Amino acid sequence: MSSMPVAQEGKADFSRYNIDWYKPGPRWKIVLWFLVNSLIINTYLPIPVSLKRWVLRLFGAKLGQEVIIKPGVNIKYPWLLKTGDHVWIGEQVWIDNLSDVVIGSNVCLSQGALILTGNHDYRQPTFDLTTRPITLDDGVWIGAKAVVCAGVTCHSHSVLAVNSVATRPLEAYGIYQGNPAVFVRQRHINP
């Protein structure tokens, strides 16, 4: 028998869902990006990384030097992306940037990582969209299939372990694991 109270306060009504307020860019740009993204970035065709970087910059991404973009990467809106130098973006990484994503230098996003700036307000009957930026400071490592949720900052050289979910800030040089991710130990980098 469950000890959780059953609330009968209201009901969801998705028929009233409205995101007219959310304007990430002109419609033509979004549609054009959708096509270009599927042909150049979110593909397993052997597209040179230099071409991927050029296309992302053309669409407004602010990329540092030597950003590596592996096959099958999906970036929602490049004009809301800023990276430092020597960033590695692994296969099948999804940067779902409905809001700004700022990635420092020497950051690794491993295979299948999800950077998720959007969510829904489950308290509202209309399930309203919410967006909050994400910041990954220098030296951060987001493990394979890990998720960074909206509004989270991963501070300098923190690590989010494989398949973990960051719902709160990760402190500098901390290693976090689980769902929700909790601190497990300090990260030590040999000099």
Side-chain angles (χ1 to χ4, degrees):
M1 181 183 254
S2 174
S3 62
M4 292 182 58
V6 177
Q8 301 285 331
E9 296 179 16
K11 295 184 180 185
D13 182 1
F14 292 178
S15 70
R16 296 183 0 214
Y17 181 75
N18 184 320
I19 58 170
D20 287 345
W21 62 269
Y22 181 69
K23 306 256 188 259
R27 186 80 179 139
W28 67 266
K29 186 176 184 180
I30 293 168
V31 170
L32 184 60
W33 171 247
F34 179 81
L35 296 171
V36 170
N37 185 42
S38 63
L39 294 171
I40 306 293
I41 308 296
N42 191 8
T43 182
Y44 280 88
L45 293 172
I47 307 293
V49 174
S50 59
L51 178 59
K52 292 179 183 183
R53 288 190 297 248
W54 182 81
V55 166
L56 285 166
R57 286 181 178 122
L58 182 67
F59 276 87
K62 294 175 180 70
L63 303 180
Q65 297 178 10
E66 300 302 320
V67 174
I68 301 299
I69 304 155
K70 294 292 189 171
V73 169
N74 192 10
I75 298 171
K76 180 75 86 178
Y77 302 125
W79 50 93
L80 296 176
L81 177 64
K82 180 181 179 184
T83 78
D85 301 329
H86 307 286
V87 171
W88 296 351
I89 302 175
E91 280 186 56
Q92 296 183 346
V93 165
W94 184 10
I95 301 176
D96 192 24
N97 56 337
L98 300 171
S99 187
D100 291 330
V101 169
V102 177
I103 300 173
S105 294
N106 301 300
V107 170
C108 177
L109 304 177
S110 293
Q111 302 90 331
L114 175 57
I115 309 303
L116 186 62
T117 63
N119 205 343
H120 294 275
D121 187 346
Y122 62 86
R123 297 166 298 188
Q124 298 299 320
T126 52
F127 206 53
D128 296 342
L129 174 67
T130 61
T131 66
R132 294 183 5 204
I134 289 174
T135 300
L136 308 177
D137 289 342
D138 292 351
V140 165
W141 178 15
I142 305 302
K145 297 194 181 284
V147 179
V148 179
C149 293
V152 169
T153 295
C154 298
H155 292 280
S156 177
H157 294 82
S158 58
V159 175
L160 183 60
V162 169
N163 216 29
S164 296
V165 180
T167 59
R168 291 191 162 87
L170 306 186
E171 295 304 317
Y173 289 88
I175 299 174
Y176 291 78
Q177 183 176 27
N179 182 6
V182 295
F183 175 83
V184 291
R185 66 183 162 276
Q186 281 296 120
R187 179 182 186 184
H188 299 284
I189 299 174
N190 295 328

